[in-house]
Amino acid sequence: MKKLCFDAGHYKNYNQSKVYKPYFEGNKMWDLTLLVKNYLEKNYNVQILLTRDNINKDLSVYERGKLAKGCEGFYSFHTNAFDDETVDRVVIIRALGDTSLNTYSNQLGDSIKNCVGIKQ
């Protein structure tokens, strides 16, 4: 069974959108992380570990990275803040030199793009 670590990038009410005021990155990435975790565990032979057990917990990047020890992949979910509502894309960053998860990462990006209806 593949073991992955998911990180909902920020904590509750962090990084409010300048374009759409009700949007907070921390809240939406928590929701997205749980949705993707539940979907993958239900439909694929994969175990997902989370870097935090609740939305209010704030951990350093170093602490979150340490929690991924023993996992085949570490995915940190973020939305980048922009002042312009025309920015519309999914970005997936993987470790340099590790090409073993390229296909999986591309499929994940395409799934997120299609799910939320973005263009790039």
Side-chain angles (χ1 to χ4, degrees), residues 64-80:
R64 289 183 276 154
K66 278 178 43 178
L67 292 169
K69 185 175 182 175
C71 292
E72 295 179 56
F74 176 82
Y75 293 86
S76 187
F77 292 73
H78 291 269
T79 52
N80 296 326

Side-chain angles (χ1 to χ4, degrees), residues 7-75:
D7 173 53
H10 298 289
Y11 51 91
K12 187 173 186 172
N13 294 334
Y14 180 83
N15 201 17
Q16 183 179 24
S17 171
K18 293 179 181 178
V19 176
Y20 181 65
K21 295 296 183 189
Y23 182 90
F24 289 86
E25 179 178 0
N27 302 2
K28 291 300 181 184
M29 292 306 95
W30 176 259
D31 293 343
L32 178 63
T33 299
L34 294 179
L35 283 171
V36 174
K37 174 190 184 302
N38 293 333
Y39 177 81
L40 291 177
E41 287 182 338
K42 180 180 176 184
N43 295 291
Y44 297 91
N45 188 28
V46 64
Q47 177 188 5
I48 309 293
L49 302 176
L50 298 175
T51 57
R52 55 176 61 100
D53 56 11
N54 71 69
I55 193 172
N56 296 305
K57 196 176 211 177
D58 184 21
L59 299 169
S60 72
V61 173
Y62 179 78
E63 290 169 320
R64 289 183 276 154
K66 278 178 43 178
L67 292 169
K69 185 175 182 175
C71 292
E72 295 179 56
F74 176 82
Y75 293 86

